[in-house]
């Protein structure tokens, strides 16, 4: 088995440095603060403090970091160590995918490709440890999917060649190195994979949207930094169990980002690229949550635009939204925020749940105690800002939304086999159907072409898990037993929220919930296909909250 190792040696804690003109002390572990319930505030880049939002949002252009690369032929991708100025004026060790096309160099390119086209690329591993790329959301043959067993060693090469058969939408790609996904993705190995089709083009046309100007891919991530402004990733037992949380929030790798907007409609392709943080997103002006319109989820456009005031976005999920910045006057600011919510870490284990807590912890459940011991000063469920939109003068353009965006054909579930997927906890790790991951163990077989219904249940005593399938998309049929904060957003029938609509590959399952999804296992690849199903809390994934399933030909 591969040895887990640190990619970089980071400088220690409790040092003093100047950043953004301020002198600050990075305490590294804010344990006592969190336990005392005293939030540690006002560090530079604290996302809670609105006045910190002054860095111009990084917007993808035609090359360079996050450059939009219209795939025109075979590519050579190199995964390697680099450095990147994540915090202003400070270089941090970072990992990047580098490639070029037509003489232009790209780092972590945003691939854009037409539905039906072929994607051909070689991956060269220039890291000091194993890696592999997974195309999140794409229907590829298992051999092209970046299964953990495909991981290549340092100096190794992997050849990808597959047809992009997904409908238009906002997909992404990231490392899937066996037991190293969390650490490598955190250090940079992830970006977008946009698929175009006629439905996408007609939306862009109807709303006069342009990628990189009014159509903005926006990856949201939370990270920790040390006193020198270098990325910090040091999960202890607590964070390995609960997930690694950051206290600086990056939008397109920009901390405390601000973007100027004119009074018109923007499309934001939101991707939660965080290791473990769930966001409860809302656009807020003053104290009012403004309306926004969801037009797409993980697997492309939904049927109709749906207007809401908030939505959860879990690691791995995407939400394509339209936001009308004309809801504010020039000179006003709007914040894309994550609103406060109950993180539900080990809900039910405290005194209220009756199972009793840890002795001496005042009845605090194990999960809550662990969460409070996290090294992040920004606990899961805290309220903070993600992005500031400052409205500037410009022509008021009122968008006419198309009534129909696309057709999402419901999977026919008559006669579908039902399968139980039970999430649980045991020996300080999270399990699926009682198992931890073994690379060569197949949890179950499904028949090619079969339609199944998976009833994914999460015990009350646990934490939220964003469950993700490789190789296929699914449809969410129903949410049962949702906690009040989710039930309050269930406006779409069968307990579903806006994030459940359309074609999905990742679905958040809260403690106490059973989420019923349906999957059509039809494919046209020769032979058996083995994929993984796992939690997209990346520490959970690496910790073994993953199974193999095989689609038998
Ligand atoms: Cu984006 Cu296996 O994951
Ligand atoms: Cu995936
Ligand atoms: Cu999980």
């Amino acid at each position: 088995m591969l040895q887990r190792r640190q990619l970089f040696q980071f400088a220690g804690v409790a040092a003093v440095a100047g950043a953004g003109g301020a002198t600050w002390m990075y305490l590294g572990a804010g344990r006592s603060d969190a336990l005392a319930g005293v939030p540690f505030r006002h560090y530079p880049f604290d996302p809670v403090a609105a006045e910190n939002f002054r860095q111009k949002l990084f917007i993808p252009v035609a090359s360079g970091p996050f450059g939009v690369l219209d795939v025109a032929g075979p590519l050579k991708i190199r995964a390697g160590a680099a450095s990147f100025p994540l915090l202003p004026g400070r270089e941090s060790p970072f990992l990047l995918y580098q490639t070029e096309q037509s003489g232009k160099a790209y780092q972590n390119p945003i691939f854009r490709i037409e539905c039906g086209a072929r994607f051909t690329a070689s991956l060269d591993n220039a890291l000091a440890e194993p890696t592999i790329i997974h195309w999140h959301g794409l229907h590829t043959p298992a051999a092209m999917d970046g299964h953990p067993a495909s991981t290549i060693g340092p100096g190794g090469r992997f050849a990808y060649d597959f047809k992009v058969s997904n409908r238009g939408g906002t997909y992404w790609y990231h490392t899937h190195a066996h037991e190293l996904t969390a650490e490598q993705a955190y250090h940079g190995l992830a970006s977008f994979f946009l698929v175009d089709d006629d439905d996408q083009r007609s939306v862009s046309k109807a709303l006069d949207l342009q990628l990189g100007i009014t159509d903005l891919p926006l990856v949201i991530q939370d990270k920790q930094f040390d006193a020198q402004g270098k990325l910090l990733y040091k999960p202890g037992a607590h964070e390995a169990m609960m997930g690694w949380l950051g206290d600086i929030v990056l939008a397109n790798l920009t901390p405390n980002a601000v973007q100027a907007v004119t009074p018109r409609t923007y499309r934001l392709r939101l991707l939660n690229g965080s290791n473990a943080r769930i966001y409860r997103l809302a656009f807020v002006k003053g104290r009012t949550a403004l309306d926004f319109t969801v037009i797409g989820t993980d697997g492309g456009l939904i049927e109709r635009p749906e207007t809401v005031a908030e939505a959860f976005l879990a690691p791995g999920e995407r939400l394509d939204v339209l936001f009308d910045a004309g809801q504010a006057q020039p000179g006003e600011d709007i914040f894309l925020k994550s609103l406060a919510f109950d993180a539900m870490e080990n809900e039910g284990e405290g005194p209220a749940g009756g199972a009793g807590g840890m002795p001496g912890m005042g009845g605090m459940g194990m999960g809550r105690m662990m969460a409070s011991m996290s090294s992040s000063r920004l606990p899961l469920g805290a309220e903070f800002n993600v992005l500031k939109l400052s409205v500037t003068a410009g022509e008021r353009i009122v968008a006419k939304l198309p009534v129909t965006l696309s057709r999402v054909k419901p999977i026919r579930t008559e006669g579908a086999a039902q399968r139980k997927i039970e999430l649980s906890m045991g020996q300080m790790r999270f399990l699926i159907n009682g198992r931890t991951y073994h690379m060569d163990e197949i949890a179950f077989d499904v028949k090619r072409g079969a339609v199944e219904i998976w009833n994914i249940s999460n015990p009350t005593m646990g934490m939220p898990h964003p469950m993700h399938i490789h190789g296929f998309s699914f449809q969410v049929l129903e949410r049962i037993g949702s906690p009040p904060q989710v039930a309050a957003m269930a406006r779409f029938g069968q307990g579903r929220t806006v994030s459940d609509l359309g074609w999905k590959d990742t679905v958040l399952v809260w403690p106490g919930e059973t989420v019923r999804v349906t999957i059509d296992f039809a494919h046209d690849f020769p032979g058996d296909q083995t994929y993984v199903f796992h939690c997209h809390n990346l520490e959970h994934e690496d910790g073994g909250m993953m199974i193999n399933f095989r689609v038998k030909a």
Side-chain angles (χ1 to χ4, degrees):
M1 279 293 103
L2 304 166
Q3 280 294 310
R4 182 169 255 292
R5 49 176 289 277
Q6 286 292 115
L7 278 175
F8 305 105
Q9 287 305 320
F10 290 104
V13 294
V16 180
T23 297
W24 57 296
M25 181 172 287
Y26 192 91
L27 293 175
R31 292 171 192 197
S32 47
D33 299 312
L35 278 176
V38 180
F40 190 97
R41 291 278 183 266
H42 303 304
Y43 50 98
F45 313 110
D46 173 3
V48 177
E51 63 275 14
N52 285 344
F53 281 68
R54 281 182 306 218
Q55 264 78 240
K56 227 177 129 337
L57 176 71
F58 192 90
I59 302 264
V61 289
S63 64
F66 282 116
V68 178
L69 190 160
D70 284 302
V71 178
L75 293 163
K76 282 185 164 187
I77 304 170
R78 179 180 169 275
S83 92
F84 198 84
L86 290 169
L87 299 186
R90 278 152 199 277
E91 292 285 326
S92 173
F94 208 56
L95 304 179
L96 290 170
Y97 294 117
Q98 301 178 28
T99 192
E100 37 182 84
Q101 186 179 267
S102 321
K104 282 190 259 178
Y106 298 82
Q107 298 87 41
N108 282 359
I110 296 179
F111 293 120
R112 186 164 62 171
I113 194 165
E114 183 68 19
C115 168
R118 263 202 115 68
F119 183 82
T120 308
S122 60
L123 168 68
D124 280 302
N125 181 3
L127 303 172
E129 58 182 35
T131 199
I132 195 70
I133 296 177
H134 164 60
W135 316 96
H136 181 126
L138 297 189
H139 311 308
T140 72
M144 295 292 128
D145 174 63
H147 186 277
S150 303
T151 301
I152 50 168
R157 169 174 286 191
F158 193 92
Y160 290 100
D161 181 33
F162 56 86
K163 186 179 145 194
V164 176
S165 60
N166 288 66
R167 59 207 295 272
T170 304
Y171 304 91
W172 63 305
Y173 66 101
H174 59 80
T175 169
H176 222 288
H178 185 53
E179 295 180 337
L180 293 167
T181 296
E183 183 181 340
Q184 290 184 3
Y186 182 83
H187 283 100
L189 292 181
S191 188
F192 288 94
F193 195 109
L194 307 181
V195 179
D196 243 338
D197 65 4
D198 289 340
D199 285 350
Q200 293 283 341
R201 270 186 292 274
S202 59
V203 168
S204 296
K205 199 162 168 237
L207 298 165
D208 184 28
L209 297 172
Q210 264 185 284
L211 190 62
I213 299 170
T214 48
D215 174 351
L216 304 175
L218 197 79
V219 53
I220 306 171
Q221 295 164 312
D222 59 329
K223 307 214 186 271
Q224 290 189 37
F225 292 85
D226 70 8
Q228 297 172 332
K230 291 177 178 156
L231 274 180
L232 186 71
Y233 187 74
K234 273 191 189 170
H238 318 297
E239 292 110 345
M241 172 109 192
M242 309 304 290
W244 178 259
L245 297 172
D247 44 29
I248 293 182
V249 177
L250 307 179
N252 290 352
L253 301 185
T254 316
N256 310 132
V258 56
Q259 171 65 25
V261 291
T262 61
R264 58 157 294 151
T265 291
Y266 288 79
R267 176 181 186 172
L268 298 176
R269 300 172 185 249
L270 304 169
L271 159 63
N272 182 347
S274 310
N275 279 32
R277 186 177 294 278
I278 297 161
Y279 299 81
R280 180 184 167 193
L281 295 173
F283 292 86
V284 179
K285 184 179 84 168
R287 302 207 50 80
T288 315
L290 305 175
D291 281 348
F292 63 92
T293 302
V294 174
I295 56 167
T297 55
D298 299 346
L301 297 170
I302 57 177
E303 295 216 289
R304 284 176 299 279
E306 299 287 359
T307 298
V308 295
E310 58 177 353
F312 280 110
L313 191 67
E317 283 188 306
R318 286 85 72 209
L319 212 50
D320 263 323
V321 309
L322 298 177
F323 178 69
D324 179 8
Q327 293 179 83
Q329 298 300 315
E332 289 185 315
D333 294 329
I334 298 162
F335 281 90
L336 173 59
K337 272 180 181 287
S338 183
L339 302 178
F341 62 92
D342 181 353
M344 299 191 77
E345 290 169 310
N346 238 32
E347 192 65 23
E349 214 191 27
M358 295 279 289
M361 292 304 298
M364 192 185 272
M366 188 67 163
R368 280 190 197 281
M369 184 198 74
M370 290 203 142
S372 71
M373 289 172 78
S374 155
S375 64
S376 171
R377 290 167 293 196
L378 197 64
L380 189 63
E383 178 169 328
F384 56 88
N385 302 299
V386 174
L387 169 69
K388 178 163 108 175
L389 299 172
S390 40
V391 183
T392 60
E395 190 194 342
R396 175 80 180 109
I397 302 171
V398 181
K400 254 195 75 209
L401 296 187
V403 182
T404 308
L405 297 165
S406 73
R407 171 97 175 96
V408 176
K409 206 172 156 223
I411 296 174
R412 297 183 56 121
T413 54
E414 302 87 60
Q418 308 249 349
R419 193 178 289 280
K420 260 194 189 167
I421 306 280
E422 289 179 332
L423 314 179
S424 64
M425 192 170 73
Q427 286 124 37
M428 300 293 284
R429 52 168 89 217
F430 289 102
L431 308 170
I432 301 176
N433 287 349
R435 296 162 191 258
T436 190
Y437 188 66
H438 293 290
M439 206 187 301
D440 23 64
E441 182 183 276
I442 308 281
F444 50 80
D445 284 326
V446 303
K447 271 235 266 329
R448 170 186 186 156
V451 171
E452 294 202 353
I453 294 172
W454 288 11
N455 300 305
I456 311 170
S457 60
N458 192 0
T460 313
M461 199 185 81
M463 62 180 288
H465 298 287
M467 301 308 297
H468 169 57
I469 193 169
H470 283 212
F472 301 88
S473 301
F474 54 76
Q475 292 174 356
V476 179
L477 296 174
E478 189 174 13
R479 262 179 204 277
I480 303 166
S482 300
Q485 63 191 5
V486 179
M489 296 186 200
R491 283 183 24 215
F492 300 90
Q494 288 73 47
R496 295 174 310 159
T497 72
V498 77
S499 316
D500 299 326
L501 302 180
W503 286 101
K504 295 284 294 174
D505 54 60
T506 308
V507 69
L508 183 56
V509 187
W510 292 86
E513 269 188 329
T514 296
V515 177
R516 305 182 67 234
V517 305
T518 182
I519 314 168
D520 179 349
F521 288 99
H523 67 78
D524 46 23
F525 316 130
D528 294 350
Q529 305 290 325
T530 299
Y531 299 98
V532 288
F533 172 72
H534 64 84
C535 181
H536 220 287
N537 175 316
L538 296 182
E539 282 73 29
H540 291 183
E541 178 195 327
D542 282 349
M545 195 178 188
M546 175 155 76
I547 52 172
N548 288 318
F549 66 95
R550 181 171 51 195
V551 186
K552 293 284 275 176

